[in-house]
Protein backbone atom coordinates (compact mmCIF):
# COMPACT_ATOMS: atom_id res chain seq x y z
CA UNK A 1 0.00 0.00 0.00
CA UNK A 2 1.33 3.45 -0.86
CA UNK A 3 1.18 6.58 1.25
CA UNK A 4 -1.76 7.78 -0.86
CA UNK A 5 -4.01 4.85 0.07
CA UNK A 6 -5.80 3.50 3.11
CA UNK A 7 -7.72 0.32 3.81
CA UNK A 8 -11.37 0.83 4.59
CA UNK A 9 -13.96 -1.48 6.09
CA UNK A 10 -14.11 -4.80 4.22
CA UNK A 11 -10.46 -4.35 3.19
CA UNK A 12 -11.08 -2.09 0.20
CA UNK A 13 -8.07 0.07 -0.64
CA UNK A 14 -8.96 3.71 -1.16
CA UNK A 15 -7.08 6.97 -1.56
CA UNK A 16 -5.58 8.69 1.43
CA UNK A 17 -7.45 11.75 2.67
CA UNK A 18 -5.02 14.44 1.57
CA UNK A 19 -7.52 17.31 1.38
CA UNK A 20 -9.85 16.42 4.23
CA UNK A 21 -12.62 15.18 1.92
CA UNK A 22 -12.84 11.80 3.66
CA UNK A 23 -13.44 13.53 6.98
CA UNK A 24 -15.96 15.88 5.33
CA UNK A 25 -17.89 12.84 4.07
CA UNK A 26 -17.82 11.22 7.51
CA UNK A 27 -19.09 14.45 9.11
CA UNK A 28 -21.76 14.86 6.41
CA UNK A 29 -22.96 11.29 6.94
CA UNK A 30 -23.07 11.81 10.71
CA UNK A 31 -25.12 15.02 10.31
CA UNK A 32 -27.54 13.39 7.91
CA UNK A 33 -28.00 10.34 10.14
CA UNK A 34 -28.56 12.56 13.19
CA UNK A 35 -31.11 14.63 11.31
CA UNK A 36 -32.97 11.99 9.27
CA UNK A 37 -31.78 8.51 10.23
CA UNK A 38 -29.68 5.78 8.65
CA UNK A 39 -32.28 4.93 6.00
CA UNK A 40 -32.09 8.47 4.61
CA UNK A 41 -28.29 8.37 4.46
CA UNK A 42 -27.83 7.22 0.89
CA UNK A 43 -24.46 7.75 -0.76
CA UNK A 44 -26.10 10.30 -3.07
CA UNK A 45 -27.51 12.33 -0.16
CA UNK A 46 -24.27 12.08 1.82
CA UNK A 47 -22.27 13.35 -1.16
CA UNK A 48 -24.74 16.22 -1.60
CA UNK A 49 -24.51 17.06 2.13
CA UNK A 50 -20.71 17.17 1.81
CA UNK A 51 -20.93 19.23 -1.39
CA UNK A 52 -19.01 16.78 -3.57
CA UNK A 53 -19.99 14.81 -6.69
CA UNK A 54 -21.30 11.31 -5.94
CA UNK A 55 -18.52 9.64 -7.95
CA UNK A 56 -15.86 11.23 -5.73
CA UNK A 57 -17.28 9.48 -2.66
CA UNK A 58 -15.88 6.21 -4.01
CA UNK A 59 -12.34 7.58 -3.99
CA UNK A 60 -12.44 7.24 -0.21
CA UNK A 61 -15.13 4.63 0.49
CA UNK A 62 -16.04 1.32 -1.12
CA UNK A 63 -19.71 2.06 -0.49
CA UNK A 64 -22.26 2.97 2.15
CA UNK A 65 -21.24 0.20 4.57
CA UNK A 66 -17.62 1.36 4.45
CA UNK A 67 -18.70 4.94 5.10
CA UNK A 68 -21.01 3.92 7.96
CA UNK A 69 -18.11 2.01 9.51
CA UNK A 70 -16.03 5.17 9.31
CA UNK A 71 -18.82 7.20 10.96
CA UNK A 72 -18.98 4.69 13.80
CA UNK A 73 -15.20 4.66 14.11
CA UNK A 74 -14.91 8.45 14.18
CA UNK A 75 -17.63 8.79 16.80
CA UNK A 76 -16.17 6.09 19.03
CA UNK A 77 -12.64 7.49 18.62
CA UNK A 78 -13.87 10.92 19.73
CA UNK A 79 -15.65 9.51 22.78
CA UNK A 80 -12.66 7.36 23.72
CA UNK A 81 -10.27 10.27 23.38
CA UNK A 82 -12.35 12.60 25.54
CA UNK A 83 -12.95 9.88 28.14
CA UNK A 84 -9.28 8.93 28.29
CA UNK A 85 -8.27 12.56 28.74
CA UNK A 86 -10.79 13.00 31.56
CA UNK A 87 -9.98 9.78 33.41
CA UNK A 88 -7.87 10.33 36.47
CA UNK A 89 -5.66 7.61 37.85
CA UNK A 90 -5.99 6.35 41.42
CA UNK A 91 -2.98 5.57 43.58
CA UNK A 92 -3.43 1.89 42.70
CA UNK A 93 -2.99 2.72 39.01
CA UNK A 94 -6.64 2.08 38.09
CA UNK A 95 -8.48 4.79 36.11
CA UNK A 96 -11.28 6.78 37.71
CA UNK A 97 -14.11 5.72 35.43
CA UNK A 98 -16.73 8.16 36.67
CA UNK A 99 -14.85 11.14 35.23
CA UNK A 100 -14.37 9.28 31.94
CA UNK A 101 -18.06 8.39 31.66
CA UNK A 102 -19.14 11.93 32.51
CA UNK A 103 -16.86 13.35 29.81
CA UNK A 104 -18.13 10.83 27.25
CA UNK A 105 -21.74 11.57 28.19
CA UNK A 106 -21.20 15.33 27.72
CA UNK A 107 -20.37 14.66 24.06
CA UNK A 108 -23.70 12.89 23.61
CA UNK A 109 -25.60 15.62 25.48
CA UNK A 110 -24.08 18.40 23.36
CA UNK A 111 -25.54 16.92 20.19
CA UNK A 112 -29.21 15.92 20.35
CA UNK A 113 -28.93 13.67 17.31
CA UNK A 114 -25.81 11.80 18.40
CA UNK A 115 -27.49 9.35 20.78
CA UNK A 116 -30.16 8.55 18.21
CA UNK A 117 -27.43 8.13 15.58
CA UNK A 118 -25.53 5.69 17.79
CA UNK A 119 -28.67 3.61 18.32
CA UNK A 120 -29.56 3.63 14.62
CA UNK A 121 -26.02 2.79 13.53
CA UNK A 122 -25.86 -0.10 15.99
CA UNK A 123 -29.19 -1.46 14.72
CA UNK A 124 -28.08 -1.01 11.10
CA UNK A 125 -24.84 -2.89 11.85
CA UNK A 126 -26.78 -5.73 13.48
CA UNK A 127 -29.27 -5.98 10.59
CA UNK A 128 -26.88 -5.59 7.66
CA UNK A 129 -25.23 -8.79 6.44
CA UNK A 130 -21.48 -8.47 6.78
CA UNK A 131 -21.65 -5.62 9.30
CA UNK A 132 -22.09 -7.66 12.49
CA UNK A 133 -18.47 -6.93 13.36
CA UNK A 134 -19.34 -3.23 13.58
CA UNK A 135 -21.85 -3.84 16.36
CA UNK A 136 -19.18 -5.80 18.25
CA UNK A 137 -16.75 -2.92 17.68
CA UNK A 138 -19.33 -0.51 19.05
CA UNK A 139 -19.82 -2.63 22.19
CA UNK A 140 -16.08 -3.09 22.77
CA UNK A 141 -15.39 0.60 22.23
CA UNK A 142 -17.27 1.50 25.39
CA UNK A 143 -14.85 -0.46 27.54
CA UNK A 144 -12.55 2.16 29.05
CA UNK A 145 -10.30 -0.14 31.03
Amino acid sequence: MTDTEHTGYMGAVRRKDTGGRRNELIAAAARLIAREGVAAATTRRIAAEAGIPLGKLHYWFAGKDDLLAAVIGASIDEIRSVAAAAAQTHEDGEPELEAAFRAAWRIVQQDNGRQMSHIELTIAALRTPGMAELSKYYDEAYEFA
Side-chain angles (χ1 to χ4, degrees):
M1 190 172 334
T2 71
D3 63 348
T4 61
E5 302 172 328
H6 75 275
T7 303
Y9 178 69
M10 310 289 282
V13 176
R14 297 288 173 223
R15 291 184 185 189
K16 187 175 178 182
D17 186 19
T18 56
R21 291 288 194 193
R22 184 173 194 279
N23 290 335
E24 287 176 26
L25 285 163
I26 292 169
R31 284 192 309 272
L32 188 58
I33 291 166
R35 206 173 50 238
E36 299 181 41
V38 172
T42 63
T43 54
R44 182 176 307 280
R45 292 198 60 204
I46 293 166
E49 177 84 15
I52 69 162
L54 176 60
K56 298 258 183 180
L57 182 140
H58 297 289
Y59 285 156
W60 296 283
F61 299 99
K64 183 178 177 179
D65 291 351
D66 190 26
L67 179 52
L68 291 180
V71 171
I72 290 170
S75 182
I76 293 301
D77 288 347
E78 179 186 14
I79 289 172
R80 274 185 166 171
S81 175
V82 167
Q88 300 166 357
T89 304
H90 289 287
E91 291 176 13
D92 62 3
E94 291 296 315
E96 166 58 55
L97 296 182
E98 183 179 352
F101 283 121
R102 286 181 189 277
W105 183 244
R106 276 193 297 276
I107 291 175
V108 175
Q109 287 180 314
Q110 290 170 0
D111 181 353
N112 293 343
R114 187 178 292 241
Q115 188 171 15
M116 181 111 36
S117 296
H118 281 246
I119 292 166
E120 284 205 43
L121 286 165
T122 300
I123 291 169
L126 287 168
R127 290 187 174 165
T128 304
M131 288 184 71
E133 288 301 312
L134 284 179
S135 64
K136 289 179 190 174
Y137 173 66
Y138 235 145
D139 291 341
E140 292 169 2
Y142 283 106
E143 295 177 14
F144 293 102

